[in-house]
Amino acid sequence: FDTPEEELEKVSAFSENQKMYFQGLTILPTNIKLSVAPARALTPEQASLEGQETAAIHEAVRKGDVLVGSGNGPLGVRVGRKNKTPLAVVRGVFKSIVVDALLRLDGASLNFPGVFLRNHITTGSQLTTFLLAHYISSLKHNVPALLGSLAAIGNPLGLIRGIGDGMSDFVAEPVKGFKRSLKELDPGYVVDGVARGTESLARHTVGGLADSASLLTETFSKYMAVVTLDRRYAQKRDRGRSLRMRSESRVTLAGGVESGFLKLIQGFREGVTGVVKAPIRGAEKKGLEGFAKGLGKGLLGLLVKPIVGISDAATDVMIGVKSTVEYKEEHQQSLALLKNQLRPRRPMYGRDKVLRPYRLEDAAAATLMLRTRCAGENYLGHMDMNDRVALLSVNRLVILGSRGEEQLNLKYKHVDRVEVRPIKQEDGSDGWAIVVILNTPRRNGGEVEVISCQSEQEAVDLCSLVQRGVNLESHGNLVGR
């Protein structure tokens, strides 16, 4: 009798050689939009959660010190050795720059043609080989798209695509206006079409150039930070919250200028303080030799870190320009979608835009948020309070009255703590409310906000929602430090 292993081999061999007939096999064409964010330094808590091996590989990717081969880590990846000689340091810096350049993509469009087989007879192994060869060949044809979307060179394909869209509108909008003018016998539509086309071309051109410039300056800043050889400084920059990553709120030109000015000051401050701190840290570790190395590192940082600050400032200003230019288009698209859609748009929950099963109540609340100060911020939750409605984004709490008027606008960063307390109503009856203690007095001097509720359970539920927002804001601030 055959052993179980031999029986399994026979079954596998039979399955591989068994022929299959397809009257019709169709795999539709696929388009993938691929964006790869830059590697960021892990906090101690994140490293503990990821595990020792994965955290080591993450750190090695950031330093360009990853080797692929026979290793014990995930996917056979092993971490290279530390840089101990001057030549190894230079080689490590170069590898870090190359790895970062190849791992940052911004909106690469990958197209894979479909597969259509009719009245086809094949085996499982033959079909697998055919599909594998098909998609590998398609991937080779997408290499130019991948290279052209590298953030390190300013995403030239994205710039060309944006200007192309602007040129298309520049030609199409006047034509649409002309046709409507003939139909309505009103020449004003031609003027409107020319204005819309010209505006679209200017918006796409300015936004595309600002985006490419911000990617180039951001890349330059990252590489110059590597050149400082100051790991603490590089990790601190990585953990900082970039304007480009703030998807929960709209960035304005004023916000970009403000953030850029702060980073400019920070660059000069880091350069000056590094001259003092680096020699001290070196002396504490290796005595006189460490002091000399720290002094050299500090002097290098004194030259390079202010340049990084200037480049960071330019990056944030360009991001502000791009966001301001594109906001009008996004707002118009949102309003058009609200007019034409059959049901309210599905919300994405929290900073991470978590996808959950569709709920009409949440979708309606998220749509209502677009008409308040929460517009552009990610949805967190809501509560129907009979004659009022509480809308919660990832940044603030807004309470609307029965006529849609704004009764309260409270940012979580101004909240110290939230409590549920019994109160006396205006008619003398007992009631419940949540009491919000602020860490920053409001313009009228008040340090407490009282939100009355219909019942104790309603107060507890609203307090829980507000506390979630406060915790989310606190966690975001900790990650950004």
Side-chain angles (χ1 to χ4, degrees), residues 55 68 87 103 120 130 141 161 180 220 235 271 298-299 308 366 378 381 408 419 431 473 477:
V68 179
L87 180 60
L103 291 182
H120 191 74
F130 170 76
H141 288 91
R161 194 182 305 119
R180 189 169 182 184
F220 177 77
Q235 290 179 346
L299 293 175
V308 175
N378 292 349
L408 178 65
E419 300 176 357
E473 179 70 23
N477 291 335

Side-chain angles (χ1 to χ4, degrees), residues 67 92 122 125 129 139 147 149 232 237 239 258 282-283 313 316 339 375 417 437:
L67 302 174
T122 183
S125 59
T129 303
L139 185 61
L147 296 178
S149 300
R232 292 172 180 264
R237 284 189 74 260
R239 291 185 181 131
E258 178 185 1
D316 285 359
K339 292 178 181 178
R417 63 182 185 277
I437 294 89

Side-chain angles (χ1 to χ4, degrees), residues 166-180:
M167 286 297 298
S168 176
D169 291 342
F170 182 71
V171 175
E173 291 297 334
V175 173
K176 291 180 182 178
F178 178 72
K179 290 181 178 179
R180 189 169 182 184

Side-chain angles (χ1 to χ4, degrees), residues 57-248:
I57 292 174
H58 184 101
E59 182 181 1
V61 168
R62 291 182 57 252
K63 296 190 297 182
D65 200 21
V66 173
L67 302 174
V68 179
S70 57
N72 296 324
L75 302 179
V77 178
R78 55 194 175 94
V79 181
R81 59 187 179 183
K82 295 182 177 180
N83 300 319
K84 295 183 178 180
T85 65
L87 180 60
V89 170
V90 175
R91 187 167 57 246
V93 170
F94 177 75
K95 285 195 296 181
S96 176
I97 292 174
V98 172
V99 169
D100 178 79
L102 295 177
L103 291 182
R104 287 196 296 130
L105 293 172
D106 187 26
S109 181
L110 307 181
N111 296 300
F112 296 91
V115 176
F116 305 95
L117 299 177
R118 294 291 181 270
N119 299 319
H120 191 74
I121 299 176
T122 183
T123 64
S125 59
Q126 290 174 343
L127 181 62
T128 302
T129 303
F130 170 76
L131 293 178
L132 188 61
H134 170 77
Y135 284 107
I136 289 178
S137 176
S138 302
L139 185 61
K140 290 179 181 178
H141 288 91
N142 283 289
V143 170
L146 290 171
L147 296 178
S149 300
L150 289 176
I153 57 177
N155 188 15
L157 276 185
L159 174 61
I160 295 172
R161 194 182 305 119
I163 295 178
D165 292 340
M167 286 297 298
S168 176
D169 291 342
F170 182 71
V171 175
E173 291 297 334
V175 173
K176 291 180 182 178
F178 178 72
K179 290 181 178 179
R180 189 169 182 184
S181 294
L182 294 178
K183 183 178 181 181
E184 303 288 341
L185 298 179
D186 184 358
Y189 290 112
V190 177
V191 179
D192 292 341
V194 172
R196 285 196 300 270
T198 305
E199 179 192 15
S200 177
L201 177 60
R203 183 172 62 246
H204 283 92
T205 302
V206 174
L209 291 174
D211 185 43
S212 292
S214 67
L215 289 172
L216 289 173
T217 53
E218 184 179 33
T219 300
F220 177 77
S221 298
K222 188 174 182 65
Y223 295 166
M224 293 301 291
V226 174
V227 172
T228 61
L229 304 179
D230 189 342
R231 186 175 301 176
R232 292 172 180 264
Y233 172 68
Q235 290 179 346
K236 186 177 180 180
R237 284 189 74 260
D238 280 349
R239 291 185 181 131
R241 295 181 66 192
S242 169
L243 285 184
R244 198 181 299 279
M245 305 301 291
R246 294 184 185 177
S247 59
E248 71 272 8

